[in-house]
Amino acid sequence: LQLQLSKVPANTATFASTSSACAKGYQWRGALQLKAEMQVNRVPANSITHNATVSTGGREEQWQKVQQPMDDMRVNGVLATPITIYTTICAYEKAGQGRRAAQPVENMQDCDAPADTTTYSTAISECVEGGRGRRALQLKEDTRGNGIPVNTITYSAAISACHKGGQWQRALQLLDDMQDRGVP
């Protein structure tokens, strides 16, 4: 993987592209090796290189390693993006750790990461799948408090949490709220 040997310039863009290729090719070790090489060459990481490392961790069921890139981003002052949060949630899910799906959303403020509808909807869905219905409903409520627009997927996931938790009255309230807001 040594980029110097191939006479390719060792810069953030090159490493980001190569890291993404490792992620698409399910090459966890390659992504980690690139990350180490970036540090040795003092090439600054960006959200793309971190996202690739997270993504390959989920695919390789290395769930213990999924949170590390988020922590590295925070330490190195790299701003997480909604894609970073979404990728982290999906990596936990792929690694069979859906119950950890709310963790990236809970850590968003610590990372100064902007949240979006997709991030929250995915986290809510994964909390439901991970048996954390109450947390799923709390995330749904957090969308309102954080000014995050919601969509059919967000509501469907929250209603599913109510269903699984035997909270039929709350499910009906969500359905009414959905209709009142004109969400199709």
Side-chain angles (χ1 to χ4, degrees):
L1 287 176
Q2 294 181 353
L3 294 176
Q4 308 91 308
L5 296 177
S6 64
K7 297 184 182 177
V8 174
N11 59 37
T12 303
T14 306
F15 277 105
S17 297
T18 310
S19 293
S20 291
C22 285
K24 289 178 182 159
Y26 301 92
Q27 298 298 314
W28 170 254
R29 286 182 182 86
L32 287 179
Q33 189 175 352
L34 281 169
K35 186 176 173 187
E37 194 172 325
M38 287 180 75
Q39 291 172 339
V40 167
N41 290 309
R42 296 189 175 150
V43 175
N46 64 14
S47 61
I48 295 169
T49 57
H50 288 292
N51 294 349
T53 306
V54 167
S55 181
T56 57
R59 288 181 180 151
E60 296 295 320
E61 298 184 2
Q62 298 285 331
W63 69 267
Q64 301 92 336
K65 308 261 187 209
V66 168
Q67 186 61 37
Q68 186 61 47
M70 289 288 291
D71 295 340
D72 291 347
M73 289 177 77
R74 187 172 36 252
V75 167
N76 294 316
V78 177
L79 290 178
T81 66
I83 293 170
T84 307
I85 304 300
Y86 175 79
T87 302
T88 305
I89 293 166
C90 291
Y92 278 129
E93 184 271 328
K94 287 176 186 171
Q97 297 294 314
R99 69 181 182 279
R100 298 178 188 280
Q103 185 177 346
V105 176
E106 292 165 355
N107 293 337
M108 281 190 303
Q109 280 99 12
D110 294 342
C111 300
D112 292 325
D116 66 3
T117 304
T118 302
T119 302
Y120 271 95
S121 296
T122 303
I124 291 167
S125 294
E126 292 306 323
C127 283
V128 170
E129 292 302 313
R132 298 188 62 206
R134 286 187 191 173
R135 184 63 187 130
L137 292 173
Q138 181 59 52
L139 287 171
K140 163 58 183 79
E141 293 305 314
D142 289 351
T143 61
R144 185 171 299 180
N146 292 325
I148 305 297
V150 293
N151 60 19
T152 305
I153 296 168
T154 312
Y155 274 103
S156 294
I159 291 169
S160 180
C162 293
H163 169 74
K164 288 189 175 192
Q167 299 180 35
W168 63 270
Q169 292 170 323
R170 180 71 176 119
L172 290 175
Q173 288 173 344
L174 286 169
L175 187 59
D176 286 343
D177 186 49
M178 185 176 169
Q179 291 172 344
D180 290 346
R181 294 179 179 275
V183 176

